[in-house]
Amino acid sequence: MKVGFIGLGNMGAPMAANLVKAGHQVTGFDLAAPCPEGVTPAASAAEAAAGQEVVITMLPNGAILRAVAAEVLPAMARGAVLLDCSTVDVESARAVAAEAEAAGVLAVDAPVSGGVGGAAAGTLTFMAGGTEAAFEKVRPLFEVMGQKAVHCGASGAGQAAKICNNMILGVTMIGTCEAFALADKLGLDRGKMFDVVSTSSGYSWTMNAYCPAPGVGPKSPADNDYKPGFAAELMLKDLRLSQQAAEAVDADTPMGARAAELYAAFVEDEDGRGRDFSAMLPRFERRGRT
Ligand code: NAD
């Protein structure tokens, strides 16, 4: 396929490189980052988008997505697909989809899980919102960049699935970390704690697959001095998006709200920025109740 790729950062660059490797013809644009090998550089986002069958965006936030969409939609061919893989607020995803429709362009919001490692290995999971026809058009690209793509529903449904998943993830990570810190103070060995919880009703992905305690369970960022992995500031971004969405639809999410507060304190006032989100464990370890 002929693909335009806008936003060639930590995630976008390896995703674009995988499309090239699979034989797609990719033209790229980024304000700052260079194009990976095999991607033809364009002078602007509009130039990267002109005449493409699919235009992929992988950008930092909803405001930037809206600005880029306003620039590229007039340049895109009717019937082409604007495929946004960034994590953005549900409202921006829906607003961009409405503008695309007005321009005769199909839109899919398809945020990813799997991080930079998944982007490089082509094993991302895509959660997609948009029409069935639009989803089917971009399915071959999902198959190159990822191992699974779930069509979640209409425009915005992909972003909704992503922030609900990551709200659970943030809450569960905090629960797992505070339980380890409590176990420490009760004199319980971390290995025993893992053996019990990972096979009992407290089990979770954060305990079983991404254990925040170093030397316990399968290898995780905790075993690499809490280098990300999934950085605490990205978790904070997703938790804030979940709370923005919860406010918009009047959903009561007390645990999500508390998780957002804790990650905000961790990233903004403590030493969390640049550390993996599981570094909440050493944070709790050092603290008492006040
Ligand atoms: P990044 O900051 O490395 O990349 C974003 C790129 O967009 C940058 O290279 C920047 O120069 C470019 N950019 C910004 N404004 C632009 C514009 N107007 N025109 C063209 N390019 C522009 O971020 P990333 O880690 O690649 O993340 C991208 C998206 O993926 C984010 O929405 C993030 O939340 C999401 N995400 C990231 C991860 C992760 O582990 N990094 C995991 C899942 C989802």
Side-chain angles (χ1 to χ4, degrees):
M1 278 195 208
K2 287 186 70 193
V3 179
F5 208 118
I6 299 162
L8 297 160
N10 292 322
M11 296 290 290
M15 291 164 73
N18 281 334
L19 291 174
V20 169
K21 257 186 249 156
H24 296 289
Q25 215 178 307
V26 184
T27 304
F29 177 73
D30 191 293
L31 282 183
C35 279
E37 210 182 306
V39 173
T40 308
S44 67
E47 189 184 306
Q52 310 293 357
E53 296 168 80
V54 178
V55 175
I56 302 177
T57 47
M58 196 53 173
L59 296 163
N61 60 47
I64 293 175
L65 170 67
R66 287 181 194 233
V68 168
E71 192 188 335
V72 300
L73 283 170
M76 287 177 67
R78 289 182 79 82
V81 186
L82 178 60
L83 170 58
D84 177 47
C85 296
S86 331
T87 304
V88 303
D89 55 291
V90 176
E91 253 172 275
S92 290
R94 291 191 174 142
V96 165
E99 274 164 31
E101 196 182 347
V105 168
L106 303 172
V108 177
D109 56 288
V112 302
S113 101
V116 177
T123 56
L124 294 169
T125 295
F126 291 87
M127 32 223 125
T131 62
E132 190 64 40
F135 180 78
E136 285 309 322
K137 280 203 172 181
V138 293
R139 189 196 284 277
L141 302 183
F142 289 147
E143 282 166 6
V144 172
M145 298 185 288
Q147 61 183 355
K148 190 174 166 80
V150 179
H151 186 200
C152 299
S155 292
Q159 298 295 349
K162 165 90 186 178
I163 58 173
C164 288
N165 180 75
N166 280 19
M167 187 173 79
I168 296 171
L169 179 63
V171 168
T172 316
M173 180 54 87
I174 289 170
T176 304
C177 292
E178 68 183 21
F180 264 117
L182 171 61
D184 287 348
K185 291 196 176 180
L186 294 172
L188 177 60
D189 176 77
R190 286 183 169 181
K192 301 293 179 199
M193 164 88 171
F194 176 82
D195 282 352
V196 171
V197 176
S198 65
T199 53
S200 299
S201 46
Y203 84 88
S204 65
W205 185 84
T206 58
M207 175 60 81
N208 292 39
Y210 203 94
C211 185
V216 175
K219 279 258 171 299
S220 69
D223 299 303
N224 190 25
D225 203 21
Y226 296 100
K227 291 196 179 73
F230 184 45
E233 56 268 30
L234 288 177
M235 174 47 81
L236 175 59
K237 172 189 172 180
D238 293 357
L239 284 167
R240 284 186 165 149
L241 289 176
S242 76
Q243 295 316 292
Q244 187 182 336
E247 269 171 35
V249 296
D250 191 28
D252 187 21
T253 55
M255 305 303 284
R258 187 72 187 112
E261 279 171 15
L262 282 166
Y263 274 104
F266 187 47
V267 168
E268 288 165 3
D269 307 328
E270 301 166 13
D271 64 347
R273 187 175 294 280
R275 306 188 81 196
D276 189 72
F277 82 121
S278 61
M280 271 284 168
L281 174 51
R283 175 193 185 272
F284 279 115
E285 219 177 88
R286 288 193 300 268
R287 298 170 68 91
R289 284 188 76 74
T290 50

